[in-house]
Amino acid sequence: FTGEAKYCLSGTASRDGMQLIAVVLGAETSDKRFAAAKGMLDYGFASYSIESPEPPSLEPISILRGVDDSASLNVEPISILTEKGSKGEIEAKAFINESPQAPVREGDEAGYIAYYKNGEEIARSKVYIGESVDEVSYASILSNIISALFFKK
């Protein structure tokens, strides 16, 4: 509290995996400050929810000139704030880059997932390469030939 700013408060609350923040500035009394913060938090919890939609299933990405032909993909998890009672399912669409050329490293960005509700994009999450793939070399080719000739399964 100051004479000019009056009673102020920034407060947070968590419920059902959702955390909200309320900020009150310039309240006339301490009781009004707390009542305003409580009202904002109650309204937020009553009106909104968090959704964690499943990303689409992703096939491994082809790797050009790599010791392996492909690498798995990992999707960054996402939580989306939605209005309770709003109509429409959240749909997800993958946008994966063209086949990268080796070497690639685990964690390199490979594209993104766009999430839509009622045809409007509402969020994106990144897609990453799941494991490193080195570039094919003469030594690796020679090693594969020797393994194929002498160590057949």
Side-chain angles (χ1 to χ4, degrees), residues 32-71:
K32 287 183 180 179
R33 163 184 63 181
F34 287 115
K38 181 183 180 307
M40 284 189 277
L41 293 170
D42 286 343
Y43 175 81
F45 287 123
S47 301
Y48 296 92
S49 64
I50 295 290
E51 292 189 44
S52 299
E54 284 294 317
S57 179
L58 299 174
E59 296 293 320
I61 190 169
S62 296
I63 306 295
L64 302 175
R65 298 183 60 190
V67 292
D68 294 318
D69 293 340
S70 63

PDB file of all heavy atoms in Angstrom, residues 32-71:
ATOM      1  N   LYS A  32     -11.407  -5.046  -0.310  1.00  0.00           N
ATOM      2  CA  LYS A  32     -11.776  -4.946  -1.729  1.00  0.00           C
ATOM      3  C   LYS A  32     -10.684  -5.521  -2.613  1.00  0.00           C
ATOM      4  O   LYS A  32     -10.965  -6.145  -3.642  1.00  0.00           O
ATOM      5  CB  LYS A  32     -12.058  -3.489  -2.108  1.00  0.00           C
ATOM      6  CG  LYS A  32     -13.364  -2.973  -1.558  1.00  0.00           C
ATOM      7  CD  LYS A  32     -13.634  -1.547  -2.008  1.00  0.00           C
ATOM      8  CE  LYS A  32     -14.959  -1.052  -1.443  1.00  0.00           C
ATOM      9  NZ  LYS A  32     -15.237   0.333  -1.842  1.00  0.00           N
ATOM     10  N   ARG A  33      -9.432  -5.333  -2.213  1.00  0.00           N
ATOM     11  CA  ARG A  33      -8.299  -5.894  -2.976  1.00  0.00           C
ATOM     12  C   ARG A  33      -8.405  -7.413  -3.023  1.00  0.00           C
ATOM     13  O   ARG A  33      -8.315  -8.019  -4.091  1.00  0.00           O
ATOM     14  CB  ARG A  33      -7.001  -5.434  -2.312  1.00  0.00           C
ATOM     15  CG  ARG A  33      -5.777  -6.209  -2.693  1.00  0.00           C
ATOM     16  CD  ARG A  33      -4.544  -5.782  -1.945  1.00  0.00           C
ATOM     17  NE  ARG A  33      -4.657  -6.005  -0.509  1.00  0.00           N
ATOM     18  CZ  ARG A  33      -3.720  -5.692   0.354  1.00  0.00           C
ATOM     19  NH1 ARG A  33      -2.605  -5.109  -0.064  1.00  0.00           N
ATOM     20  NH2 ARG A  33      -3.864  -5.933   1.628  1.00  0.00           N
ATOM     21  N   PHE A  34      -8.591  -8.047  -1.863  1.00  0.00           N
ATOM     22  CA  PHE A  34      -8.675  -9.506  -1.818  1.00  0.00           C
ATOM     23  C   PHE A  34      -9.932 -10.020  -2.508  1.00  0.00           C
ATOM     24  O   PHE A  34      -9.901 -11.039  -3.204  1.00  0.00           O
ATOM     25  CB  PHE A  34      -8.597 -10.019  -0.368  1.00  0.00           C
ATOM     26  CG  PHE A  34      -7.228  -9.914   0.222  1.00  0.00           C
ATOM     27  CD1 PHE A  34      -6.991  -9.066   1.293  1.00  0.00           C
ATOM     28  CD2 PHE A  34      -6.161 -10.641  -0.289  1.00  0.00           C
ATOM     29  CE1 PHE A  34      -5.728  -8.945   1.846  1.00  0.00           C
ATOM     30  CE2 PHE A  34      -4.890 -10.531   0.257  1.00  0.00           C
ATOM     31  CZ  PHE A  34      -4.660  -9.682   1.324  1.00  0.00           C
ATOM     32  N   ALA A  35     -11.046  -9.327  -2.365  1.00  0.00           N
ATOM     33  CA  ALA A  35     -12.303  -9.738  -3.012  1.00  0.00           C
ATOM     34  C   ALA A  35     -12.160  -9.669  -4.536  1.00  0.00           C
ATOM     35  O   ALA A  35     -12.645 -10.557  -5.250  1.00  0.00           O
ATOM     36  CB  ALA A  35     -13.460  -8.870  -2.536  1.00  0.00           C
ATOM     37  N   ALA A  36     -11.499  -8.627  -5.042  1.00  0.00           N
ATOM     38  CA  ALA A  36     -11.315  -8.499  -6.497  1.00  0.00           C
ATOM     39  C   ALA A  36     -10.436  -9.620  -7.029  1.00  0.00           C
ATOM     40  O   ALA A  36     -10.733 -10.232  -8.069  1.00  0.00           O
ATOM     41  CB  ALA A  36     -10.726  -7.133  -6.832  1.00  0.00           C
ATOM     42  N   ALA A  37      -9.346  -9.931  -6.317  1.00  0.00           N
ATOM     43  CA  ALA A  37      -8.453 -11.019  -6.755  1.00  0.00           C
ATOM     44  C   ALA A  37      -9.182 -12.358  -6.728  1.00  0.00           C
ATOM     45  O   ALA A  37      -9.090 -13.147  -7.676  1.00  0.00           O
ATOM     46  CB  ALA A  37      -7.210 -11.061  -5.875  1.00  0.00           C
ATOM     47  N   LYS A  38      -9.925 -12.609  -5.645  1.00  0.00           N
ATOM     48  CA  LYS A  38     -10.683 -13.859  -5.544  1.00  0.00           C
ATOM     49  C   LYS A  38     -11.706 -13.961  -6.672  1.00  0.00           C
ATOM     50  O   LYS A  38     -11.862 -15.012  -7.291  1.00  0.00           O
ATOM     51  CB  LYS A  38     -11.381 -13.947  -4.186  1.00  0.00           C
ATOM     52  CG  LYS A  38     -12.166 -15.232  -3.985  1.00  0.00           C
ATOM     53  CD  LYS A  38     -12.903 -15.224  -2.652  1.00  0.00           C
ATOM     54  CE  LYS A  38     -13.700 -16.476  -2.408  1.00  0.00           C
ATOM     55  NZ  LYS A  38     -14.628 -16.862  -3.438  1.00  0.00           N
ATOM     56  N   GLY A  39     -12.391 -12.871  -6.961  1.00  0.00           N
ATOM     57  CA  GLY A  39     -13.385 -12.870  -8.034  1.00  0.00           C
ATOM     58  C   GLY A  39     -12.775 -13.161  -9.398  1.00  0.00           C
ATOM     59  O   GLY A  39     -13.341 -13.922 -10.186  1.00  0.00           O
ATOM     60  N   MET A  40     -11.609 -12.562  -9.668  1.00  0.00           N
ATOM     61  CA  MET A  40     -10.947 -12.827 -10.959  1.00  0.00           C
ATOM     62  C   MET A  40     -10.518 -14.282 -11.069  1.00  0.00           C
ATOM     63  O   MET A  40     -10.712 -14.916 -12.118  1.00  0.00           O
ATOM     64  CB  MET A  40      -9.728 -11.913 -11.125  1.00  0.00           C
ATOM     65  CG  MET A  40     -10.091 -10.497 -11.479  1.00  0.00           C
ATOM     66  SD  MET A  40      -8.630  -9.525 -11.912  1.00  0.00           S
ATOM     67  CE  MET A  40      -8.049  -9.066 -10.292  1.00  0.00           C
ATOM     68  N   LEU A  41      -9.932 -14.827  -9.996  1.00  0.00           N
ATOM     69  CA  LEU A  41      -9.490 -16.225 -10.030  1.00  0.00           C
ATOM     70  C   LEU A  41     -10.674 -17.172 -10.151  1.00  0.00           C
ATOM     71  O   LEU A  41     -10.642 -18.115 -10.952  1.00  0.00           O
ATOM     72  CB  LEU A  41      -8.648 -16.541  -8.789  1.00  0.00           C
ATOM     73  CG  LEU A  41      -7.306 -15.813  -8.711  1.00  0.00           C
ATOM     74  CD1 LEU A  41      -6.673 -16.002  -7.337  1.00  0.00           C
ATOM     75  CD2 LEU A  41      -6.363 -16.264  -9.809  1.00  0.00           C
ATOM     76  N   ASP A  42     -11.735 -16.924  -9.398  1.00  0.00           N
ATOM     77  CA  ASP A  42     -12.943 -17.765  -9.506  1.00  0.00           C
ATOM     78  C   ASP A  42     -13.510 -17.725 -10.924  1.00  0.00           C
ATOM     79  O   ASP A  42     -13.916 -18.755 -11.472  1.00  0.00           O
ATOM     80  CB  ASP A  42     -14.003 -17.322  -8.494  1.00  0.00           C
ATOM     81  CG  ASP A  42     -13.670 -17.717  -7.065  1.00  0.00           C
ATOM     82  OD1 ASP A  42     -12.805 -18.595  -6.874  1.00  0.00           O
ATOM     83  OD2 ASP A  42     -14.284 -17.129  -6.140  1.00  0.00           O
ATOM     84  N   TYR A  43     -13.570 -16.535 -11.504  1.00  0.00           N
ATOM     85  CA  TYR A  43     -14.072 -16.400 -12.874  1.00  0.00           C
ATOM     86  C   TYR A  43     -13.194 -17.196 -13.855  1.00  0.00           C
ATOM     87  O   TYR A  43     -13.703 -17.916 -14.721  1.00  0.00           O
ATOM     88  CB  TYR A  43     -14.104 -14.924 -13.297  1.00  0.00           C
ATOM     89  CG  TYR A  43     -14.491 -14.742 -14.744  1.00  0.00           C
ATOM     90  CD1 TYR A  43     -15.824 -14.777 -15.131  1.00  0.00           C
ATOM     91  CD2 TYR A  43     -13.521 -14.568 -15.735  1.00  0.00           C
ATOM     92  CE1 TYR A  43     -16.187 -14.638 -16.460  1.00  0.00           C
ATOM     93  CE2 TYR A  43     -13.870 -14.427 -17.067  1.00  0.00           C
ATOM     94  CZ  TYR A  43     -15.204 -14.460 -17.420  1.00  0.00           C
ATOM     95  OH  TYR A  43     -15.553 -14.327 -18.739  1.00  0.00           O
ATOM     96  N   GLY A  44     -11.886 -17.071 -13.717  1.00  0.00           N
ATOM     97  CA  GLY A  44     -10.972 -17.792 -14.611  1.00  0.00           C
ATOM     98  C   GLY A  44     -11.140 -19.291 -14.519  1.00  0.00           C
ATOM     99  O   GLY A  44     -11.237 -19.988 -15.538  1.00  0.00           O
ATOM    100  N   PHE A  45     -11.219 -19.828 -13.286  1.00  0.00           N
ATOM    101  CA  PHE A  45     -11.372 -21.276 -13.127  1.00  0.00           C
ATOM    102  C   PHE A  45     -12.742 -21.752 -13.599  1.00  0.00           C
ATOM    103  O   PHE A  45     -12.875 -22.858 -14.113  1.00  0.00           O
ATOM    104  CB  PHE A  45     -11.150 -21.683 -11.674  1.00  0.00           C
ATOM    105  CG  PHE A  45      -9.703 -21.614 -11.250  1.00  0.00           C
ATOM    106  CD1 PHE A  45      -9.332 -20.835 -10.168  1.00  0.00           C
ATOM    107  CD2 PHE A  45      -8.716 -22.311 -11.932  1.00  0.00           C
ATOM    108  CE1 PHE A  45      -8.007 -20.758  -9.766  1.00  0.00           C
ATOM    109  CE2 PHE A  45      -7.389 -22.245 -11.539  1.00  0.00           C
ATOM    110  CZ  PHE A  45      -7.028 -21.465 -10.455  1.00  0.00           C
ATOM    111  N   ALA A  46     -13.758 -20.939 -13.449  1.00  0.00           N
ATOM    112  CA  ALA A  46     -15.104 -21.330 -13.886  1.00  0.00           C
ATOM    113  C   ALA A  46     -15.272 -21.236 -15.405  1.00  0.00           C
ATOM    114  O   ALA A  46     -16.081 -21.956 -15.987  1.00  0.00           O
ATOM    115  CB  ALA A  46     -16.145 -20.443 -13.206  1.00  0.00           C
ATOM    116  N   SER A  47     -14.511 -20.379 -16.049  1.00  0.00           N
ATOM    117  CA  SER A  47     -14.725 -20.092 -17.474  1.00  0.00           C
ATOM    118  C   SER A  47     -13.731 -20.750 -18.423  1.00  0.00           C
ATOM    119  O   SER A  47     -13.996 -20.846 -19.622  1.00  0.00           O
ATOM    120  CB  SER A  47     -14.674 -18.577 -17.701  1.00  0.00           C
ATOM    121  OG  SER A  47     -15.652 -17.931 -16.923  1.00  0.00           O
ATOM    122  N   TYR A  48     -12.576 -21.201 -17.924  1.00  0.00           N
ATOM    123  CA  TYR A  48     -11.527 -21.714 -18.801  1.00  0.00           C
ATOM    124  C   TYR A  48     -10.984 -23.035 -18.285  1.00  0.00           C
ATOM    125  O   TYR A  48     -11.099 -23.347 -17.103  1.00  0.00           O
ATOM    126  CB  TYR A  48     -10.381 -20.697 -18.913  1.00  0.00           C
ATOM    127  CG  TYR A  48     -10.821 -19.414 -19.567  1.00  0.00           C
ATOM    128  CD1 TYR A  48     -11.287 -18.343 -18.815  1.00  0.00           C
ATOM    129  CD2 TYR A  48     -10.802 -19.282 -20.947  1.00  0.00           C
ATOM    130  CE1 TYR A  48     -11.719 -17.169 -19.410  1.00  0.00           C
ATOM    131  CE2 TYR A  48     -11.227 -18.118 -21.552  1.00  0.00           C
ATOM    132  CZ  TYR A  48     -11.686 -17.068 -20.778  1.00  0.00           C
ATOM    133  OH  TYR A  48     -12.118 -15.921 -21.383  1.00  0.00           O
ATOM    134  N   SER A  49     -10.399 -23.799 -19.203  1.00  0.00           N
ATOM    135  CA  SER A  49      -9.751 -25.059 -18.834  1.00  0.00           C
ATOM    136  C   SER A  49      -8.513 -25.249 -19.707  1.00  0.00           C
ATOM    137  O   SER A  49      -8.348 -24.578 -20.726  1.00  0.00           O
ATOM    138  CB  SER A  49     -10.709 -26.242 -19.013  1.00  0.00           C
ATOM    139  OG  SER A  49     -11.060 -26.391 -20.370  1.00  0.00           O
ATOM    140  N   ILE A  50      -7.679 -26.177 -19.288  1.00  0.00           N
ATOM    141  CA  ILE A  50      -6.455 -26.506 -20.022  1.00  0.00           C
ATOM    142  C   ILE A  50      -6.682 -27.832 -20.745  1.00  0.00           C
ATOM    143  O   ILE A  50      -7.142 -28.800 -20.143  1.00  0.00           O
ATOM    144  CB  ILE A  50      -5.248 -26.652 -19.065  1.00  0.00           C
ATOM    145  CG1 ILE A  50      -4.933 -25.323 -18.400  1.00  0.00           C
ATOM    146  CG2 ILE A  50      -4.038 -27.195 -19.797  1.00  0.00           C
ATOM    147  CD1 ILE A  50      -4.355 -24.281 -19.317  1.00  0.00           C
ATOM    148  N   GLU A  51      -6.367 -27.866 -22.035  1.00  0.00           N
ATOM    149  CA  GLU A  51      -6.431 -29.105 -22.807  1.00  0.00           C
ATOM    150  C   GLU A  51      -5.027 -29.445 -23.293  1.00  0.00           C
ATOM    151  O   GLU A  51      -4.271 -28.556 -23.673  1.00  0.00           O
ATOM    152  CB  GLU A  51      -7.369 -28.951 -24.002  1.00  0.00           C
ATOM    153  CG  GLU A  51      -8.828 -28.790 -23.607  1.00  0.00           C
ATOM    154  CD  GLU A  51      -9.755 -28.860 -24.800  1.00  0.00           C
ATOM    155  OE1 GLU A  51      -9.566 -29.734 -25.666  1.00  0.00           O
ATOM    156  OE2 GLU A  51     -10.671 -28.021 -24.859  1.00  0.00           O
ATOM    157  N   SER A  52      -4.702 -30.718 -23.260  1.00  0.00           N
ATOM    158  CA  SER A  52      -3.424 -31.212 -23.775  1.00  0.00           C
ATOM    159  C   SER A  52      -3.722 -32.198 -24.892  1.00  0.00           C
ATOM    160  O   SER A  52      -3.763 -33.415 -24.671  1.00  0.00           O
ATOM    161  CB  SER A  52      -2.610 -31.880 -22.666  1.00  0.00           C
ATOM    162  OG  SER A  52      -2.330 -30.955 -21.643  1.00  0.00           O
ATOM    163  N   PRO A  53      -3.933 -31.699 -26.118  1.00  0.00           N
ATOM    164  CA  PRO A  53      -4.329 -32.584 -27.218  1.00  0.00           C
ATOM    165  C   PRO A  53      -3.195 -33.515 -27.630  1.00  0.00           C
ATOM    166  O   PRO A  53      -2.013 -33.173 -27.521  1.00  0.00           O
ATOM    167  CB  PRO A  53      -4.674 -31.610 -28.343  1.00  0.00           C
ATOM    168  CG  PRO A  53      -3.902 -30.386 -28.038  1.00  0.00           C
ATOM    169  CD  PRO A  53      -3.798 -30.310 -26.540  1.00  0.00           C
ATOM    170  N   GLU A  54      -3.590 -34.683 -28.093  1.00  0.00           N
ATOM    171  CA  GLU A  54      -2.621 -35.645 -28.613  1.00  0.00           C
ATOM    172  C   GLU A  54      -2.145 -35.189 -29.989  1.00  0.00           C
ATOM    173  O   GLU A  54      -2.970 -34.843 -30.842  1.00  0.00           O
ATOM    174  CB  GLU A  54      -3.252 -37.037 -28.747  1.00  0.00           C
ATOM    175  CG  GLU A  54      -3.404 -37.772 -27.447  1.00  0.00           C
ATOM    176  CD  GLU A  54      -2.076 -38.137 -26.807  1.00  0.00           C
ATOM    177  OE1 GLU A  54      -1.154 -38.580 -27.514  1.00  0.00           O
ATOM    178  OE2 GLU A  54      -1.975 -37.976 -25.581  1.00  0.00           O
ATOM    179  N   PRO A  55      -0.836 -35.176 -30.219  1.00  0.00           N
ATOM    180  CA  PRO A  55      -0.354 -34.838 -31.560  1.00  0.00           C
ATOM    181  C   PRO A  55      -0.637 -35.996 -32.519  1.00  0.00           C
ATOM    182  O   PRO A  55      -0.856 -37.128 -32.076  1.00  0.00           O
ATOM    183  CB  PRO A  55       1.148 -34.649 -31.357  1.00  0.00           C
ATOM    184  CG  PRO A  55       1.481 -35.480 -30.163  1.00  0.00           C
ATOM    185  CD  PRO A  55       0.257 -35.457 -29.284  1.00  0.00           C
ATOM    186  N   PRO A  56      -0.630 -35.713 -33.811  1.00  0.00           N
ATOM    187  CA  PRO A  56      -0.820 -36.819 -34.763  1.00  0.00           C
ATOM    188  C   PRO A  56       0.360 -37.775 -34.699  1.00  0.00           C
ATOM    189  O   PRO A  56       1.455 -37.401 -34.286  1.00  0.00           O
ATOM    190  CB  PRO A  56      -0.901 -36.104 -36.118  1.00  0.00           C
ATOM    191  CG  PRO A  56      -0.237 -34.800 -35.910  1.00  0.00           C
ATOM    192  CD  PRO A  56      -0.424 -34.443 -34.472  1.00  0.00           C
ATOM    193  N   SER A  57       0.109 -39.007 -35.095  1.00  0.00           N
ATOM    194  CA  SER A  57       1.179 -40.006 -35.166  1.00  0.00           C
ATOM    195  C   SER A  57       2.144 -39.613 -36.286  1.00  0.00           C
ATOM    196  O   SER A  57       1.717 -39.276 -37.387  1.00  0.00           O
ATOM    197  CB  SER A  57       0.573 -41.381 -35.442  1.00  0.00           C
ATOM    198  OG  SER A  57       1.590 -42.336 -35.541  1.00  0.00           O
ATOM    199  N   LEU A  58       3.435 -39.646 -35.988  1.00  0.00           N
ATOM    200  CA  LEU A  58       4.434 -39.221 -36.965  1.00  0.00           C
ATOM    201  C   LEU A  58       5.321 -40.386 -37.377  1.00  0.00           C
ATOM    202  O   LEU A  58       5.841 -41.107 -36.520  1.00  0.00           O
ATOM    203  CB  LEU A  58       5.310 -38.100 -36.389  1.00  0.00           C
ATOM    204  CG  LEU A  58       4.589 -36.817 -36.000  1.00  0.00           C
ATOM    205  CD1 LEU A  58       5.550 -35.860 -35.320  1.00  0.00           C
ATOM    206  CD2 LEU A  58       3.962 -36.167 -37.217  1.00  0.00           C
ATOM    207  N   GLU A  59       5.474 -40.553 -38.667  1.00  0.00           N
ATOM    208  CA  GLU A  59       6.402 -41.546 -39.203  1.00  0.00           C
ATOM    209  C   GLU A  59       7.824 -41.022 -39.061  1.00  0.00           C
ATOM    210  O   GLU A  59       8.037 -39.809 -39.048  1.00  0.00           O
ATOM    211  CB  GLU A  59       6.100 -41.794 -40.692  1.00  0.00           C
ATOM    212  CG  GLU A  59       4.741 -42.400 -40.962  1.00  0.00           C
ATOM    213  CD  GLU A  59       4.621 -43.810 -40.430  1.00  0.00           C
ATOM    214  OE1 GLU A  59       5.609 -44.576 -40.555  1.00  0.00           O
ATOM    215  OE2 GLU A  59       3.552 -44.141 -39.891  1.00  0.00           O
ATOM    216  N   PRO A  60       8.816 -41.911 -38.977  1.00  0.00           N
ATOM    217  CA  PRO A  60      10.205 -41.437 -38.942  1.00  0.00           C
ATOM    218  C   PRO A  60      10.521 -40.601 -40.183  1.00  0.00           C
ATOM    219  O   PRO A  60       9.951 -40.816 -41.252  1.00  0.00           O
ATOM    220  CB  PRO A  60      11.019 -42.732 -38.929  1.00  0.00           C
ATOM    221  CG  PRO A  60      10.088 -43.754 -38.342  1.00  0.00           C
ATOM    222  CD  PRO A  60       8.720 -43.354 -38.836  1.00  0.00           C
ATOM    223  N   ILE A  61      11.418 -39.644 -40.025  1.00  0.00           N
ATOM    224  CA  ILE A  61      11.809 -38.773 -41.124  1.00  0.00           C
ATOM    225  C   ILE A  61      12.974 -39.411 -41.875  1.00  0.00           C
ATOM    226  O   ILE A  61      13.879 -39.992 -41.259  1.00  0.00           O
ATOM    227  CB  ILE A  61      12.176 -37.365 -40.606  1.00  0.00           C
ATOM    228  CG1 ILE A  61      12.340 -36.387 -41.762  1.00  0.00           C
ATOM    229  CG2 ILE A  61      13.414 -37.391 -39.710  1.00  0.00           C
ATOM    230  CD1 ILE A  61      12.439 -34.924 -41.317  1.00  0.00           C
ATOM    231  N   SER A  62      12.936 -39.364 -43.205  1.00  0.00           N
ATOM    232  CA  SER A  62      14.030 -39.886 -44.023  1.00  0.00           C
ATOM    233  C   SER A  62      15.234 -38.966 -43.906  1.00  0.00           C
ATOM    234  O   SER A  62      15.097 -37.750 -43.933  1.00  0.00           O
ATOM    235  CB  SER A  62      13.620 -39.980 -45.490  1.00  0.00           C
ATOM    236  OG  SER A  62      12.575 -40.907 -45.636  1.00  0.00           O
ATOM    237  N   ILE A  63      16.410 -39.574 -43.796  1.00  0.00           N
ATOM    238  CA  ILE A  63      17.659 -38.829 -43.691  1.00  0.00           C
ATOM    239  C   ILE A  63      18.481 -39.130 -44.941  1.00  0.00           C
ATOM    240  O   ILE A  63      18.758 -40.290 -45.251  1.00  0.00           O
ATOM    241  CB  ILE A  63      18.469 -39.221 -42.436  1.00  0.00           C
ATOM    242  CG1 ILE A  63      17.625 -39.090 -41.170  1.00  0.00           C
ATOM    243  CG2 ILE A  63      19.752 -38.409 -42.345  1.00  0.00           C
ATOM    244  CD1 ILE A  63      17.201 -37.688 -40.821  1.00  0.00           C
ATOM    245  N   LEU A  64      18.842 -38.086 -45.673  1.00  0.00           N
ATOM    246  CA  LEU A  64      19.645 -38.253 -46.881  1.00  0.00           C
ATOM    247  C   LEU A  64      21.124 -38.390 -46.527  1.00  0.00           C
ATOM    248  O   LEU A  64      21.632 -37.654 -45.686  1.00  0.00           O
ATOM    249  CB  LEU A  64      19.459 -37.048 -47.812  1.00  0.00           C
ATOM    250  CG  LEU A  64      18.025 -36.763 -48.266  1.00  0.00           C
ATOM    251  CD1 LEU A  64      17.982 -35.477 -49.075  1.00  0.00           C
ATOM    252  CD2 LEU A  64      17.486 -37.935 -49.067  1.00  0.00           C
ATOM    253  N   ARG A  65      21.783 -39.342 -47.173  1.00  0.00           N
ATOM    254  CA  ARG A  65      23.226 -39.559 -47.028  1.00  0.00           C
ATOM    255  C   ARG A  65      23.650 -39.836 -45.594  1.00  0.00           C
ATOM    256  O   ARG A  65      24.729 -39.467 -45.160  1.00  0.00           O
ATOM    257  CB  ARG A  65      24.009 -38.380 -47.596  1.00  0.00           C
ATOM    258  CG  ARG A  65      23.771 -38.201 -49.091  1.00  0.00           C
ATOM    259  CD  ARG A  65      24.574 -37.096 -49.672  1.00  0.00           C
ATOM    260  NE  ARG A  65      25.991 -37.383 -49.464  1.00  0.00           N
ATOM    261  CZ  ARG A  65      26.971 -36.509 -49.684  1.00  0.00           C
ATOM    262  NH1 ARG A  65      26.691 -35.317 -50.110  1.00  0.00           N
ATOM    263  NH2 ARG A  65      28.222 -36.841 -49.472  1.00  0.00           N
ATOM    264  N   GLY A  66      22.776 -40.523 -44.855  1.00  0.00           N
ATOM    265  CA  GLY A  66      23.078 -40.844 -43.462  1.00  0.00           C
ATOM    266  C   GLY A  66      23.443 -42.301 -43.298  1.00  0.00           C
ATOM    267  O   GLY A  66      23.109 -43.141 -44.132  1.00  0.00           O
ATOM    268  N   VAL A  67      24.133 -42.623 -42.207  1.00  0.00           N
ATOM    269  CA  VAL A  67      24.457 -44.021 -41.919  1.00  0.00           C
ATOM    270  C   VAL A  67      23.176 -44.802 -41.609  1.00  0.00           C
ATOM    271  O   VAL A  67      23.144 -46.015 -41.771  1.00  0.00           O
ATOM    272  CB  VAL A  67      25.481 -44.161 -40.767  1.00  0.00           C
ATOM    273  CG1 VAL A  67      26.829 -43.631 -41.189  1.00  0.00           C
ATOM    274  CG2 VAL A  67      25.017 -43.497 -39.505  1.00  0.00           C
ATOM    275  N   ASP A  68      22.145 -44.097 -41.178  1.00  0.00           N
ATOM    276  CA  ASP A  68      20.806 -44.670 -41.032  1.00  0.00           C
ATOM    277  C   ASP A  68      19.902 -43.961 -42.035  1.00  0.00           C
ATOM    278  O   ASP A  68      20.094 -42.788 -42.337  1.00  0.00           O
ATOM    279  CB  ASP A  68      20.267 -44.467 -39.614  1.00  0.00           C
ATOM    280  CG  ASP A  68      21.064 -45.235 -38.577  1.00  0.00           C
ATOM    281  OD1 ASP A  68      21.426 -46.396 -38.848  1.00  0.00           O
ATOM    282  OD2 ASP A  68      21.327 -44.663 -37.497  1.00  0.00           O
ATOM    283  N   ASP A  69      18.897 -44.673 -42.523  1.00  0.00           N
ATOM    284  CA  ASP A  69      17.986 -44.111 -43.524  1.00  0.00           C
ATOM    285  C   ASP A  69      16.979 -43.133 -42.939  1.00  0.00           C
ATOM    286  O   ASP A  69      16.411 -42.314 -43.659  1.00  0.00           O
ATOM    287  CB  ASP A  69      17.208 -45.228 -44.235  1.00  0.00           C
ATOM    288  CG  ASP A  69      18.113 -46.100 -45.083  1.00  0.00           C
ATOM    289  OD1 ASP A  69      19.217 -45.643 -45.426  1.00  0.00           O
ATOM    290  OD2 ASP A  69      17.703 -47.232 -45.398  1.00  0.00           O
ATOM    291  N   SER A  70      16.718 -43.248 -41.614  1.00  0.00           N
ATOM    292  CA  SER A  70      15.668 -42.429 -41.014  1.00  0.00           C
ATOM    293  C   SER A  70      15.968 -42.166 -39.545  1.00  0.00           C
ATOM    294  O   SER A  70      16.868 -42.778 -38.962  1.00  0.00           O
ATOM    295  CB  SER A  70      14.316 -43.119 -41.158  1.00  0.00           C
ATOM    296  OG  SER A  70      14.318 -44.350 -40.458  1.00  0.00           O
ATOM    297  N   ALA A  71      15.183 -41.268 -38.976  1.00  0.00           N
ATOM    298  CA  ALA A  71      15.275 -40.959 -37.554  1.00  0.00           C
ATOM    299  C   ALA A  71      13.863 -40.735 -37.018  1.00  0.00           C
ATOM    300  O   ALA A  71      12.988 -40.248 -37.739  1.00  0.00           O
ATOM    301  CB  ALA A  71      16.132 -39.715 -37.327  1.00  0.00           C
TER     302      ALA A  71
END
